[in-house]
Amino acid sequence: MCRQRVSVRLSDLLKKSRAILSLGMTPPNLPHQFEKLRGGNRTPFVIAGAGLSAGLTPTPAALIADNRDSAERFLRIQSVATTSTGADILYEWAEGALLELRKRGEVAPKLRIGEALGLISNPQWAAEVGIPLNRASPRHRVIARLAREDRIEKIWSLNWDAHIENALEQIGFELDEARVPQPWKTAYRTITLHGEAHYLARNDVFCVLKPHGCVRALVKAKGLLAGNIPQATQISDRLLLTREELRRDRLNETDHFFRQKLEVQLREHPLIVIGWSISEPFLLTVVRASVNAEEPAIEECTIIDCTFNGGGHTAVTECYKLDKALAFAELNLTDGPTADDLLLWIQARYALDQLHLFADEAVKASIDALRAELATPQPNNIAVAFADSFLPAWVRLCWRSGLVQAALFNQDAVRLELEDFHVPLSVGSIVRADLQAAGVLLMRLVASESGWDLDRYPGALFDEGEERLVLPFPNWGIPNNLLGLKPLVDAIERNTAFITRLDILPLGGNAPDDDQALAIKEAFSSLTRHPHFSDPANISVVTDLGN
């Protein structure tokens, strides 16, 4: 995974709930709101706009610039005259195109426009290109993990793309219904119509609300077109892309449903806005009608974006009785911090909090020092890679091996075909030997002089200079199986030319004796087809990273 470098400086260390942190030469603010994602009783909900998908999908201006001529040929309409600039060109053009299609009685006209613009055929919208293979962008991956950790109440996405859905699926959420119940939420539902409201009442389903429509819904509508034109039209009509419908509240049952639900969310939960300009007047009206901040509360609203506009951003912060300095976190697509940087930082801070809960005093002190270093986003800090690449794979291995147990947990439902399958770091009041051992390893990594790469082989430590791979191994019990190592074994077999030395590092429990060390080596070698490491003699068991 590619991470941008960013130089940061600390200007004010979370002294009170109003603390402000500064980064770089022109410091944006990182409000205290982010602490809500790490803990606390009032879980925030997220409203995501186009900025969350920046660089992954075309901007509105690029979408119409690249597709206008071909779209008009596809729709068999005359060139639509436009006078707008920027993103508004798309919405003005779509308004004219829709009018022409309706005049001639076109069936499901918005579906036709979506097809013409490539929303169904372009894999960028379906989250099939532009991201790491079989994974999600860092920003979407972290949001999905925080959803599984129950640190996000709901996501409202004003984007058509399916990047957030892809991320939820990559970390193990299943669409609509879970095949096997677990101690955490395992199903999700994207809601685009009022008829899907019953999912909101279910505690076992995480909901993504998309009042502006979704490309997956368009695909569904296209499949229905041959047999159920009314339903295909109803589904595709949720694609809001004309200038008029983005300005005014529409008088139909689904829009009324979304307005009511947004009012409830705003009254009951803190708000985090990511990459949304809040330019739709009818949505701003909902905010104004719902928020009645008698006392300023910095925890109640945060806006994350590249710029703070004098329109919607100002209006919303005024509703919360906050000024820009207390509510705005600025992103920078060139020099950082980017949205990826910011969310990876939040994830690292959250992971350190969970490790701290189960650590002994020496490890707690090391974690405290790391938390102080991570008072601001630092993409190259080892805790960031540890939380993003190593820790999820390690936790998955320990749970899949039966070495951590919780009520209702089914180890066979840990899906090994998903490289990013996520077992929460917080699962009720249970003993977390996996997190205790991980805290010890992190302390060793901080003290180590080697430049460990934690990204290339998730769940293992790679020293490129020494061509050495170290595999941490749970050593506090007898595993039921080692199937949780399969993703790592596959990664080793794909990139084995880079590895000349493979060490296994037992964590937890007492140091293994010779017979136990041999059993560990044999257990691992039996999993791989590679001729060199399938021989236990070519694997070492070590007790320290420096061995």
Side-chain angles (χ1 to χ4, degrees), residues 42 103 139 164 198 212 259 273 309 328 332 364-365 367 390 450-451 471 529-530 541:
R42 301 195 66 221
K103 281 181 179 178
R139 71 200 88 151
I164 190 61
H198 60 281
H212 287 186
R259 183 173 60 252
V273 171
N309 66 58
F328 181 55
N332 191 317
K364 283 183 187 292
I367 293 174
F390 175 81
S450 297
L471 169 62
R529 298 183 301 271
H530 191 272
V541 173

Side-chain angles (χ1 to χ4, degrees), residues 387-441:
D388 192 46
S389 294
F390 175 81
L391 192 57
W394 167 256
V395 170
R396 183 172 60 242
L397 167 63
C398 296
W399 284 70
R400 189 63 177 81
S401 302
L403 295 175
V404 184
Q405 288 292 332
L408 303 179
F409 172 62
N410 185 319
Q411 67 186 58
D412 295 330
V414 176
R415 297 173 56 189
L416 301 178
E417 77 275 15
L418 297 177
E419 182 181 343
D420 273 332
F421 188 95
H422 186 70
V423 175
L425 306 184
S426 178
V427 185
S429 301
I430 63 172
V431 176
R432 294 298 298 264
D434 55 336
L435 298 187
Q436 184 178 35
V440 172
L441 177 63

